[in-house]
Amino acid sequence: MSEHAERFTALRPLLFTIAYEILGSATESDDVLQESYLRWAEVDLDTVRDTKSYLAQLVTRQSLNALRAQARRREDYVGPWLPEPLLVDTRDAGADVVLAESVSMAMMVVLESLTPDERAVFVLREVFGFGHDEIAAAVGKSAAAVRQMAHRAREHVHARRKRFEPVDPATSEQITCQFFATAATGDVSSLIELLAPDVVWTADSAGKVSAARRPVHGADRVARLVIGLLRMAGEEGRVELATYNNAPALKLYLGDSFEGVITVEITEGRISHFYAMRNPEKLTTATIPRAISR
């Protein structure tokens, strides 16, 4: 293996995580890393003082280009847009609380509300701890502008993000299993007990398969929606427990056909949000475990 390849491979989990948090797409992150490696392979290593900083800047620039192109495509998107679910290699999950929160579906959705530059600055500063000068080189702004952007992005995220409290994996798995076992009985009132009163169901289908075109709010409506979905799936439908974006999730099947991923957010012992990915294009790499790091 060449020295270029060795250095890149050693940092690949970190570089993938940067790209994913900027783009919200594992598929596009793979493309960004491939393009970044081709550029890296042309670099004279004697001119590189800090490989991690250099590669992070390179991947950030490529990610921003992809994000701006994505924003143009998204103008015609049908219904809610959600990040691609990330099947995290379990060896990387849980222990690092900052990393766990940074790829949580709730945080990824909040990051969607930032401008591309703000998003890159927030990710590089708050998650990965890069200096303002390093970030300035990555986004093509002055260090002073980056400082202002970081402050603005941090306030924006904190205003929209509930305080992150890691949920014990065994507890969250038990709540998720209990919810879907109860849903199978069709008992609405028992199901509502397991939901936060202001629970939200958000589904991303891009209009390609049947799914709610707008977020569904409230325990009663969400409980009835889930029971209706299970009835519609019938005996052909089955679910498998999994962990996506460091949270409990369910893989949905109709017979042998992989139909979607539902990620569950739990707050104070109750389910507060369901993120249902039904867009077939965003499920193509959803079964590939990913190594992440920071």
Side-chain angles (χ1 to χ4, degrees):
M1 190 186 287
S2 70
E3 190 177 347
H4 282 91
E6 277 181 17
R7 291 197 198 184
F8 195 92
T9 302
L11 289 166
R12 188 181 176 89
L14 177 142
L15 299 174
F16 175 83
T17 312
I18 290 173
Y20 177 75
E21 292 191 16
I22 292 174
L23 283 165
S25 165
T27 314
E28 291 194 39
S29 297
D30 289 338
D31 294 341
V32 159
L33 261 61
Q34 190 173 0
E35 177 65 28
S36 298
Y37 179 73
L38 293 175
R39 290 170 185 258
W40 168 243
E42 300 295 320
V43 172
D44 178 356
L45 294 181
D46 291 337
T47 65
V48 178
R49 284 209 317 254
D50 182 335
T51 302
K52 178 180 170 184
S53 181
Y54 188 99
L55 284 173
Q57 290 171 24
L58 179 56
V59 165
T60 297
R61 283 193 289 271
Q62 296 301 314
S63 298
L64 282 171
N65 291 340
L67 185 60
R68 292 186 177 107
Q70 189 189 86
R72 288 191 290 275
R73 291 198 305 276
R74 219 185 286 174
E75 287 170 10
D76 302 322
Y77 204 81
V78 178
W81 190 99
L82 288 175
E84 282 183 19
L86 190 70
L87 182 60
V88 179
D89 187 323
T90 50
R91 291 169 300 179
D92 304 310
D96 184 335
V97 175
V98 173
L99 184 64
E101 181 187 17
S102 71
V103 297
S104 70
M105 197 56 81
M107 176 60 87
M108 294 296 294
V109 168
V110 171
L111 291 180
E112 285 298 312
S113 60
L114 297 171
T115 68
D117 283 343
E118 284 174 347
R119 183 168 183 166
V121 168
F122 180 86
V123 167
L124 292 176
R125 182 71 186 151
E126 298 298 313
V127 181
F128 296 94
F130 285 103
H132 294 112
D133 290 339
E134 293 172 293
I135 300 170
V139 299
K141 307 280 184 192
S142 69
V146 163
R147 232 179 234 99
Q148 281 188 323
M149 222 180 281
H151 177 71
R152 199 163 58 240
R154 191 163 49 244
E155 288 197 330
H156 178 99
V157 169
H158 289 173
R160 285 161 178 75
R161 178 78 178 104
K162 297 173 196 159
R163 194 164 75 83
F164 180 72
E165 290 181 9
V167 181
D168 172 61
T171 305
S172 48
E173 190 173 306
Q174 183 255 323
I175 291 168
T176 306
C177 288
Q178 187 184 351
F179 177 84
F180 280 92
T182 306
T185 69
D187 183 347
V188 174
S189 56
S190 295
L191 207 54
I192 287 171
E193 289 298 309
L194 300 168
L195 297 171
D198 57 353
V199 62
V200 181
W201 172 284
T202 305
D204 178 337
S205 69
K208 293 173 180 164
V209 293
S210 63
R213 293 283 177 92
R214 291 196 180 96
V216 177
H217 296 260
D220 183 74
R221 292 181 69 203
V222 169
R224 292 178 191 280
L225 179 146
V226 172
I227 288 170
L229 286 176
L230 291 180
R231 281 192 186 133
M232 207 159 60
E235 290 184 11
E236 278 280 279
R238 63 186 173 89
V239 294
E240 281 180 11
L241 200 64
T243 299
Y244 279 84
N245 297 78
N246 278 347
L250 292 151
K251 293 163 76 176
L252 313 178
Y253 291 88
L254 268 180
D256 293 328
S257 174
F258 177 41
E259 293 289 320
V261 174
I262 301 175
T263 312
V264 178
E265 184 182 14
I266 293 168
T267 308
E268 295 175 353
R270 291 188 175 193
I271 298 174
S272 53
H273 212 131
F274 295 92
Y275 301 97
M277 178 54 68
R278 296 274 288 120
N279 180 351
E281 287 182 6
K282 292 188 183 181
L283 294 171
T284 54
T285 62
T287 55
I288 300 171
R290 306 292 189 156
I292 61 172
S293 76
R294 70 183 184 100

